[in-house]
Amino acid sequence: MEINDDGIAYGNASAFESNGNSNIYGNHIYNSNIGNGIHWGNYNLLTSSGNGNQAGIETVINNWGNGFHYGQINSLSGLGTGSKYGTFNYIDAASGGIHIGLYSQATQAIGYSGYFLGNVFVSGVFTNPSDSSLKENIKESASVLLKLNQLKVKDYNFKSDLSQKYGFARGQQTGFIAQELEQVFPNLVKEEILSIPNDPTKIAETTQEERKIKAINYVGLIPYLTKAIQEQQEVIIAQKNKVASLELEVQFLKEKQKLVEERLLQLEKDNLISNTEYLPLLQGAISSFPLHVLQTKLFLYSLKRASVGRFFCLTKNSLLSQKAFYCSLG
């Protein structure tokens, strides 16, 4: 087909109306070739240089029926060893404009713009809208450290038959149990529906098997973890400041004790006298000491401001064999 004017052109157009209950195909292509060549069920090539919008395939469903509506179904069941792609989209890097390999819009609160059973690989990054102009009721979050301490981290494996059926991760996993996490952070747990066709080879004709489960928004945990780290950092800083203050106080007391000891030593040297007057005083003081005391420095003062020098007590019974000194403090 070749059209040179600016009108709308259709390479293939199908239109029909039916009130029957049988299957209806706008276009049905069956290919059973077993050769080694490339097989296309449908091939669209657009080489137009015009400025209008272009669509390789457009599907419009405007049906009031209650059945499932599929804009497109791709089902692959070949036994060959080659890689299988349900959908393959390629945009040449040299092409102009913004490139979007796959665009999907489903803004219903309980809907999904993408639904995958199995692993998802992304070589780039995930982003979420967070612009302040999009938000309201903005306020500082409450403390979460105590809540996080309530969480129980578990090691587990998904049941092997369910992993095969729904594409769950294989091997040992580490994470949370949704029902337990829900008790602490209910906003991070959501009820979801696992849905698979009863006959994957006849998706449009079959029914869906559904199973309700609870799922966790692990990405939503990141702000709580960040808040908890900030709270812990405040505790650490306060403890460091307290330790530093205590270290200064200990150092001050050590220096003061050293000065006192040096002063007493000097007084002992300058004013050494007999211990006769103060022996009863020492004996009475030491008698109150526990038996397990081995080395204790005693500083005893009389009413005359006299100081008995250092006295090392080994046991109560060793008192008479020790020497006591006193000196006038001026």
Side-chain angles (χ1 to χ4, degrees), residues 19-305:
N19 294 321
N21 296 319
S22 60
N23 294 337
I24 300 172
Y25 301 91
N27 189 24
H28 186 178
I29 299 174
Y30 175 73
N31 188 335
S32 63
N33 192 318
I34 59 174
N36 295 322
I38 299 175
H39 303 170
W40 282 282
N42 191 25
Y43 181 89
N44 298 315
L45 176 62
L46 285 74
T47 60
S48 172
S49 60
N51 294 322
N53 297 334
Q54 302 179 40
I57 296 176
E58 180 178 6
T59 302
V60 178
I61 298 177
N62 187 13
N63 187 305
W64 291 88
N66 294 323
F68 289 97
H69 297 175
Y70 300 92
Q72 181 175 328
I73 295 176
N74 299 317
S75 178
L76 290 76
S77 58
L79 299 178
T81 59
S83 299
K84 311 291 190 298
Y85 297 89
T87 299
F88 189 103
N89 301 314
Y90 170 75
I91 302 176
D92 193 296
S95 300
I98 297 175
H99 299 177
I100 301 175
L102 179 64
Y103 180 89
S104 177
Q105 178 178 336
T107 58
Q108 186 185 45
I110 60 173
Y112 308 91
S113 194
Y115 189 100
F116 303 93
L117 296 179
N119 299 328
V120 176
F121 171 77
V122 178
S123 63
V125 297
F126 281 105
T127 59
N128 294 97
S130 190
D131 193 287
S132 61
S133 65
L134 306 177
K135 303 176 181 181
E136 60 183 3
N137 302 324
I138 300 173
K139 60 183 179 180
E140 291 293 329
S141 296
S143 175
V144 298
L145 193 55
L146 294 178
K147 285 188 174 182
L148 283 178
N149 285 332
Q150 298 177 41
L151 299 184
K152 300 176 181 179
V153 181
K154 302 291 181 63
D155 292 333
Y156 58 88
N157 293 79
F158 284 107
K159 297 177 180 178
S160 57
D161 59 326
L162 297 180
S163 293
Q164 180 66 29
K165 185 175 184 178
Y166 297 111
F168 297 150
R170 272 71 165 180
Q172 180 176 296
Q173 307 296 313
T174 300
F176 305 103
I177 305 302
Q179 286 81 355
E180 295 177 355
L181 183 68
E182 189 175 22
Q183 301 301 315
V184 184
F185 295 109
N187 57 312
L188 296 180
V189 178
K190 182 182 178 184
E191 189 173 84
E192 303 284 9
I193 296 177
L194 292 173
S195 178
I196 59 172
N198 285 308
D199 186 352
T201 64
K202 298 180 180 180
I203 295 176
E205 294 95 331
T206 190
T207 56
Q208 297 283 326
E209 176 187 334
E210 296 184 344
R211 176 174 181 161
K212 291 184 178 181
I213 64 167
K214 290 183 180 292
I216 294 175
N217 176 11
Y218 275 94
V219 175
L221 270 173
I222 295 176
Y224 291 114
L225 297 176
T226 303
K227 179 71 174 178
I229 292 174
Q230 293 173 342
E231 292 179 38
Q232 279 190 327
Q233 191 61 28
E234 292 178 357
V235 173
I236 292 172
I237 292 174
Q239 289 177 339
K240 283 185 175 180
N241 292 337
K242 184 176 181 179
V243 169
S245 176
L246 291 174
E247 288 177 345
L248 289 174
E249 185 176 349
V250 169
Q251 183 62 30
F252 173 77
L253 292 175
K254 285 182 177 180
E255 293 175 355
K256 189 173 181 180
Q257 180 184 6
K258 183 179 179 182
L259 292 174
V260 171
E261 290 180 352
E262 291 175 351
R263 174 64 173 165
L264 288 174
L265 284 173
Q266 185 62 42
L267 291 174
E268 288 174 4
K269 291 179 182 179
D270 296 342
N271 299 282
L272 183 63
I273 63 172
S274 171
N275 65 347
T276 305
E277 180 183 353
Y278 293 95
L279 187 58
L281 175 62
L282 289 172
Q283 192 170 14
I286 294 175
S287 64
S288 63
F289 278 30
L291 285 176
H292 65 270
V293 174
L294 295 180
Q295 285 192 335
T296 305
K297 293 182 180 180
L298 303 179
F299 300 102
L300 304 176
Y301 297 88
S302 70
L303 295 177
K304 299 179 179 179
R305 296 181 57 80

